[in-house]
Amino acid sequence: MPVGISRGYEPGRILLQLPISQIGTKHRDLSQNESDPELRNASVALSEAVAEFALNHGEAAVQLAREARDIFQETSEGRSDATRVLMVALTDVESRQEAIQLGEAALLGLTSPDSDAEKRRRALVLQSLAEAAAFRCRGELRTKAVSWAEEAIAIQKDLGDKIMEGYANLAMASALIQKGVKAHQRKHYQRSIKALKLALELFAPSEASDAAPELSALARSGEARALHGLASACGRLEDFRSSVSRAREAAAIWQELGYRMEEALELEFLARLQLQLGQYKEGRKSGEEALKIFIGLKLSIWQGVTLRTLVKALLRGKKVKEARKLVNRRMALFKEAEDMVGICGALDATAEVVMAEGDAVQAAELLKEAVKKGKETKMKDRQFRKYEATMTAEQANFYLQGQKYDDALQHAKNAFYLFEKMDCQVEMATTLSTMVMAHLCLEHPQQALEDTKRAIRIYEGLNDKKGEGLAWINHCSGLTKMGDFDEAMKVAHKARDIFASQKLLIGEGQSLDHLSSLHMTSGDFAKSATCAKRARQIFNEAACFRQEAFMAWAEAEALFGLAQSQAEDFKSDQELPEVCTKASEAAEESLRLARDADDELLMMHSMQVVAKTRIMCFRHWEAGPLVDESLEIAQKNSQRMEEASLWLLKAQICICDGEDDKAKENAIKSRDIFEEVGNDQGMEQAREIIDGDYLRQQREEDERGITSATPMAMMPSESQMYGSGGIGGRSGGPGPGQPPMAMAQAPAPSAAAPAVPPPKGGPTLKQIEETVQDIAMSLIGADDLEMDAALMDAGLDSLASVEFQNTLTKEFRGVPMPSTLMFDFPTSKEIAQHIKDNFRG
């Protein structure tokens, strides 16, 4: 039984390999016409082996293929066919070493290397070797897989067999993708994409138009396989839009050909891609179609995998009750059929539902039960140990989400030990990430830093830049927790440089998120806003719309902080300062994006910042309904810190309305919750209202004739709710049951501090210079840059200069930016002066 009940089982091995169905058809026909009884029996056995393989009966396929191969010993073509089927079946039941040994022996048995027939047999064996070595093998074998595939390509090209040359390219692409999976290196995916595009050309109708019908079907099938490969490679490079498009094309071809198994595999894969894009309804539809097919084919392994994907789609679409009904129904059917593999899959999916219902302990117990049931399946020893380690690691994640940090740490350590015994390097490093988050939540920053260093060493040994970048982000979290903000800033820049070098948008966005948060902590709201804005653009480009919405909220908070820090006393009948207008517009945009993302908690936070900016802009009466709606969400989701912040905000609205008694009542509610969660800053802000300090200051200002905008300090919970969130970064965003983030609390202005408007003439030259420098450094990837340095010489290439000019145009609306900007004003200082001279607001 393949290890299909474990998480992350990819369809790639099946969908990227040369099918053996043609061999089955060929020998079924031969068995009807063969006069030799022995050869007829061999053909019958081989056709039955292919049929058993199609039913996912791997062991039966192996036995029948062995029988056929033994009989075909003296028949070259029959022995070659049987060898191919046997190698594929052995690979399917995880007997890769035997499959590879069989293939290498078959190569040595070829005695007429110059004949076309022997060349074809050699190419087929080489391709079988490449397919067997590509998945779940050590690095040296994956390297061999590429070499074997390259030799097969050369032979098929020499023979002029375009269809088989296309399939050999698929084998090479498969090996390259797996090399990238085990140690993310962009070059592997780029090479695989090149091979897949070449395969598409070779499978094109014009190339196969004169072929027999069965070969035309083989070419059409190859086209679908190449599209699947492109979907997989594009997804690994974070081009999810292209990935979804390719997978849809492939699914349509499988349906056209009537290949139900392949269609279902593609649909399940498509569903996961759609979830990545936030297309929950589409993902649900794809998952439902895939599950229906797998049920019809009676493939319990893939029913379990698809069930979990479908449950995720339902949960993300807030259909918890429907997800519960689905898993209960499937579990009952699996138990009735005594299908142990199906039961394991249903337990895994049920754990997801229970976690969404808020019971992390019960969810973890279900995974433990799945491991116990897994012992009763036909998994081989190593398969079971890998499954056990994977499920133990997932239990740790459940405990982490449920804020059971000691349990999370212990299970992560257990999973790490299990992976270490199997020398699963990538999984070891990934599990260290969970350990780091548990340490941070348990206030063990030093241990967290030690574990991030261990993970970095593993990734460096693998030359896995993506993993290394993620580990540095975790390291940034630990440093931030320890209060070493300068070093954390350097590490965040280092992570960003790594991701930028690999063109990994999500990682770069996460790094910018951390930088934004660190700048916020240091009180540099302008830089915080710049980093958040760039991260928002990156997440939009990567089609990560929830993260985009989150960074819009972060940008709005930073701009609000900037307005608070710059706003001097100004009167309600005066023109609103531009810095306040920008903050208000950013807040409205963040709420729009949060609503588009349909993220309730994110909407809660966005409504808060909208409410604060409206109060600051003398529209406090518009803030009340937003605060009430946010408060309802906070109470429903047990977000106590946010509830306290919202009661404080209600108190400040009451002050604007002259309802001092109500203000004190709300401030007392706020103070009590802040005391419960241990937030001293929040307690102090509430106390100022309760004791009347704030009101006394207001009266003094009134006596002096000052009518200031009601000050709205940064909510005490915001900076610590979404500080360095480990792998997910702050841009992981809020989520139910999410552990508190590690970011130190940002110093917020006093609740009684008056707002200060910017100078009437717009931003100062110094402010413009800082903004220009920040944008330039972000594009160059530099930590420092002289104002008089020529930007083109400092590393701003022609492509980046276009983005630089576009960003400046958006940042300083109304300022003319000539196409010769970089030549007319080569330095940051000259560009800033040009902007200042032409600024109109």
Side-chain angles (χ1 to χ4, degrees):
M1 184 69 67
V3 64
I5 60 175
S6 68
R7 289 164 175 260
Y9 189 52
E10 290 285 348
R13 177 178 62 79
I14 301 170
L15 294 185
L16 283 178
Q17 71 181 25
L18 174 65
I20 58 174
S21 54
Q22 281 74 18
I23 295 177
T25 302
K26 169 185 172 182
H27 283 272
R28 186 175 65 248
D29 294 342
L30 284 174
S31 67
Q32 297 171 0
N33 301 312
E34 180 59 59
S35 57
D36 187 317
E38 276 199 54
L39 294 179
R40 183 168 60 249
N41 290 338
S43 287
V44 168
L46 193 54
S47 63
E48 288 179 352
V50 174
E52 292 291 343
F53 181 82
L55 294 171
N56 216 43
H57 300 160
E59 297 289 355
V62 167
Q63 184 177 347
L64 288 165
R66 284 192 201 280
E67 292 175 11
R69 187 171 184 275
D70 289 342
I71 299 172
F72 278 133
Q73 280 300 328
E74 303 303 321
T75 307
S76 298
E77 188 172 348
R79 186 174 71 250
S80 176
D81 289 343
T83 298
R84 165 70 186 170
V85 174
L86 181 55
M87 289 182 70
V88 170
L90 285 169
T91 301
D92 188 63
V93 298
E94 304 291 331
S95 295
R96 285 176 173 73
Q97 291 299 329
E98 184 180 352
I100 290 169
Q101 290 170 5
L102 180 65
E104 290 177 328
L107 288 180
L108 294 173
L110 297 173
T111 56
S112 305
D114 294 331
S115 72
D116 285 353
E118 287 283 77
K119 286 180 180 179
R120 287 191 178 89
R121 284 193 277 272
R122 180 177 180 82
L124 193 61
V125 172
L126 287 166
Q127 180 153 344
S128 299
L129 281 166
E131 291 171 352
F135 283 77
R136 288 196 283 278
C137 288
R138 295 190 180 278
E140 62 273 13
L141 273 177
R142 287 194 297 275
T143 300
K144 274 190 175 182
V146 174
S147 298
W148 283 326
E150 286 176 330
E151 187 178 348
I153 291 170
I155 293 173
Q156 298 293 4
K157 190 171 185 178
D158 180 57
L159 291 170
D161 191 331
K162 294 186 179 295
I163 293 177
M164 293 307 293
E165 183 187 346
Y167 274 98
N169 271 284
L170 292 185
M172 185 169 76
S174 177
L176 288 166
I177 289 172
Q178 287 307 303
K179 282 173 73 71
V181 168
K182 289 300 180 183
H184 185 100
Q185 293 178 39
R186 189 175 183 84
K187 63 181 181 181
H188 296 322
Y189 296 122
Q190 289 175 322
R191 282 188 67 193
S192 72
I193 288 173
K194 184 177 180 181
L196 290 162
K197 287 182 176 179
L198 177 57
L200 273 179
E201 292 177 10
L202 292 165
F203 293 133
S206 59
E207 300 291 354
S209 57
D210 298 329
E214 62 271 16
L215 291 181
S216 295
L218 189 62
R220 191 72 169 139
S221 169
E223 184 181 353
R225 295 171 198 277
L227 287 166
H228 171 81
L230 286 169
S232 179
C234 288
R236 295 288 178 179
L237 291 175
E238 299 179 356
D239 184 359
F240 298 114
R241 291 185 179 94
S242 295
S243 189
V244 165
S245 175
R246 298 291 193 174
R248 278 204 187 102
E249 290 182 69
I253 295 175
W254 295 127
Q255 186 179 51
E256 172 196 321
L257 293 171
Y259 291 7
R260 299 291 281 165
M261 169 75 168
E262 288 81 357
E263 181 188 356
L265 288 170
E266 198 71 60
L267 286 168
E268 192 278 332
F269 179 61
L270 175 60
R272 282 186 277 143
L273 291 172
Q274 288 167 329
L275 292 187
Q276 177 66 43
L277 278 177
Q279 299 173 353
Y280 307 140
K281 291 181 181 179
E282 295 86 343
R284 174 182 178 176
K285 183 179 178 182
S286 299
E288 286 173 339
E289 291 177 10
L291 183 59
K292 183 178 179 180
I293 295 173
F294 285 130
I295 290 172
L297 295 173
K298 298 181 179 180
L299 295 175
S300 56
I301 286 176
W302 280 102
Q303 286 181 52
V305 173
T306 309
L307 179 62
R308 181 170 177 266
T309 302
L310 180 52
V311 161
K312 279 188 171 291
L314 287 167
L315 294 177
R316 293 182 186 180
K318 302 177 183 178
K319 305 291 184 182
V320 180
K321 290 183 179 179
E322 289 185 41
R324 166 59 75 177
K325 288 180 182 178
L326 175 64
V327 295
N328 288 347
R329 184 168 65 250
R330 297 311 307 164
M331 177 66 80
L333 292 171
F334 286 134
K335 286 182 175 179
E336 183 181 342
E338 297 182 349
D339 186 335
M340 204 57 62
V341 172
I343 290 172
C344 288
L347 284 168
D348 191 357
T350 304
E352 293 286 341
V353 178
V354 171
M355 191 65 225
E357 293 170 340
D359 193 340
V361 174
Q362 180 59 26
E365 287 298 319
L366 287 169
L367 295 186
K368 288 180 184 177
E369 186 180 349
V371 173
K372 291 179 182 177
K373 297 291 185 184
K375 290 182 180 180
E376 301 177 36
T377 65
K378 296 180 181 180
M379 278 192 288
K380 294 188 176 181
D381 179 61
R382 181 175 174 84
Q383 288 177 291
F384 176 74
R385 287 188 287 120
K386 183 70 173 289
Y387 179 61
E388 180 184 20
T390 302
M391 298 303 267
T392 303
E394 188 60 17
Q395 289 170 50
N397 285 324
F398 280 164
Y399 281 127
L400 190 63
Q401 293 177 59
Q403 301 183 32
K404 304 289 184 182
Y405 305 129
D406 287 315
D407 290 327
L409 182 58
Q410 188 56 55
H411 279 76
K413 287 180 177 179
N414 292 344
F416 181 87
Y417 172 72
L418 293 170
F419 284 129
E420 188 176 34
K421 287 205 300 184
M422 292 180 287
D423 194 29
C424 296
Q425 296 283 313
V426 174
E427 290 82 355
M428 286 165 59
T430 303
T431 307
L432 281 168
S433 173
T434 305
M435 292 166 63
V436 167
M437 288 305 301
H439 279 308
L440 291 175
C441 292
L442 288 168
E443 305 292 331
H444 303 158
Q446 191 59 52
Q447 291 93 320
L449 290 178
E450 291 172 3
D451 283 340
T452 59
K453 289 177 182 176
R454 293 168 70 190
I456 289 166
R457 286 195 294 270
I458 292 173
Y459 286 125
E460 286 178 339
L462 294 169
N463 196 23
D464 186 335
K465 292 298 182 183
K466 180 178 182 180
E468 184 187 347
L470 293 172
W472 279 116
I473 285 182
N474 265 350
H475 201 68
C476 176
S477 298
L479 290 166
T480 304
K481 186 71 172 177
M482 294 183 73
D484 192 348
F485 302 125
D486 290 340
E487 190 62 29
M489 193 82 74
K490 292 178 184 176
V491 168
H493 277 293
K494 181 182 183 71
R496 189 197 176 189
D497 290 344
I498 291 173
F499 290 124
S501 70
Q502 297 295 304
K503 298 182 181 178
L504 292 167
L505 294 175
I506 295 175
E508 187 178 357
Q510 290 171 345
S511 303
L512 283 163
D513 170 26
H514 279 261
L515 287 168
S516 173
S517 186
L518 286 163
H519 284 308
M520 180 78 84
T521 301
S522 66
D524 193 335
F525 300 115
K527 287 186 177 180
S528 178
T530 299
C531 289
K533 183 176 182 179
R534 179 58 185 149
R536 179 162 65 91
Q537 294 167 343
I538 286 174
F539 283 128
N540 176 270
E541 187 179 346
C544 296
F545 302 118
R546 182 174 179 274
Q547 288 90 334
E548 178 195 3
F550 185 83
M551 293 316 302
W553 168 80
E555 181 188 1
E557 284 291 354
L559 289 172
F560 172 78
L562 184 64
Q564 283 289 94
S565 65
Q566 290 186 357
E568 254 183 81
D569 303 332
F570 65 95
K571 298 180 180 181
S572 57
D573 58 351
Q574 292 178 331
E575 180 184 353
L576 198 65
E578 184 189 1
V579 68
C580 296
T581 302
K582 289 180 71 174
S584 182
E585 290 173 352
E588 298 287 351
E589 175 69 1
S590 77
L591 181 55
R592 183 187 70 78
L593 291 172
R595 292 192 191 282
D596 288 346
D598 195 22
D599 188 311
E600 191 173 56
L601 291 181
L602 189 49
M603 283 189 279
M604 173 188 71
H605 287 271
S606 295
M607 282 188 281
Q608 286 186 55
V609 72
V610 171
K612 290 187 298 184
T613 55
R614 287 186 181 178
I615 294 170
M616 183 175 63
C617 297
F618 300 105
R619 294 157 57 193
H620 66 274
W621 57 88
E622 296 178 359
L626 291 165
V627 174
D628 289 337
E629 187 177 351
S630 297
L631 187 58
E632 185 180 339
I633 295 172
Q635 291 170 335
K636 183 177 74 173
N637 289 277
S638 301
Q639 298 287 309
R640 297 292 281 167
M641 185 78 78
E642 297 311 312
E643 184 182 349
S645 299
L646 287 160
W647 281 118
L648 185 60
L649 198 51
K650 279 180 72 71
Q652 292 173 314
I653 292 172
C654 289
I655 291 171
C656 293
D657 286 330
E659 298 176 334
D660 297 351
D661 290 339
K662 281 188 178 181
K664 288 184 178 181
E665 289 176 14
N666 290 330
I668 289 170
K669 292 177 182 178
S670 173
R671 179 202 61 192
D672 291 346
I673 299 175
F674 278 133
E675 186 175 8
E676 173 193 325
V677 298
N679 188 297
D680 293 336
Q681 183 188 16
M683 289 172 61
E684 176 61 24
Q685 290 181 329
R687 186 198 62 75
E688 289 180 355
I689 294 176
I690 296 167
D691 294 348
D693 295 349
Y694 179 88
L695 296 173
R696 280 192 294 275
Q697 181 172 332
Q698 280 293 111
R699 281 194 292 272
E700 291 172 2
E701 290 177 350
D702 290 342
E703 290 171 3
R704 297 198 307 269
I706 297 173
T707 308
S708 62
T710 300
M712 302 286 14
M714 185 93 49
M715 288 294 101
S717 63
E718 285 158 5
S719 54
Q720 67 180 33
M721 264 303 279
Y722 308 112
S724 307
I727 289 294
R730 187 179 60 172
S731 53
Q738 191 167 344
M741 299 296 102
M743 188 60 159
Q745 185 170 296
S750 164
V756 183
K760 287 294 179 185
T764 65
L765 178 61
K766 183 178 180 182
Q767 290 170 340
I768 295 173
E769 287 176 344
E770 288 179 352
T771 301
V772 172
Q773 281 287 77
D774 286 340
I775 296 170
M777 287 190 293
S778 71
L779 291 170
I780 295 172
D783 294 332
D784 192 24
L785 185 64
E786 294 293 331
M787 287 296 298
D788 292 324
L791 295 177
M792 300 293 277
D793 294 340
L796 193 72
D797 59 26
S798 56
L799 186 62
S801 68
V802 173
E803 183 177 356
F804 179 57
Q805 187 165 338
N806 290 338
T807 305
L808 289 175
T809 300
K810 294 175 184 177
E811 188 70 27
F812 301 102
R813 291 188 178 91
V815 176
M817 300 287 178
S819 59
T820 56
L821 177 74
M822 299 309 301
F823 300 98
D824 298 340
F825 311 102
T827 69
S828 296
K829 187 174 183 178
E830 291 171 287
I831 292 172
Q833 188 62 57
H834 165 74
I835 292 170
K836 180 63 178 174
D837 293 343
N838 293 273
F839 189 84
R840 298 187 183 90

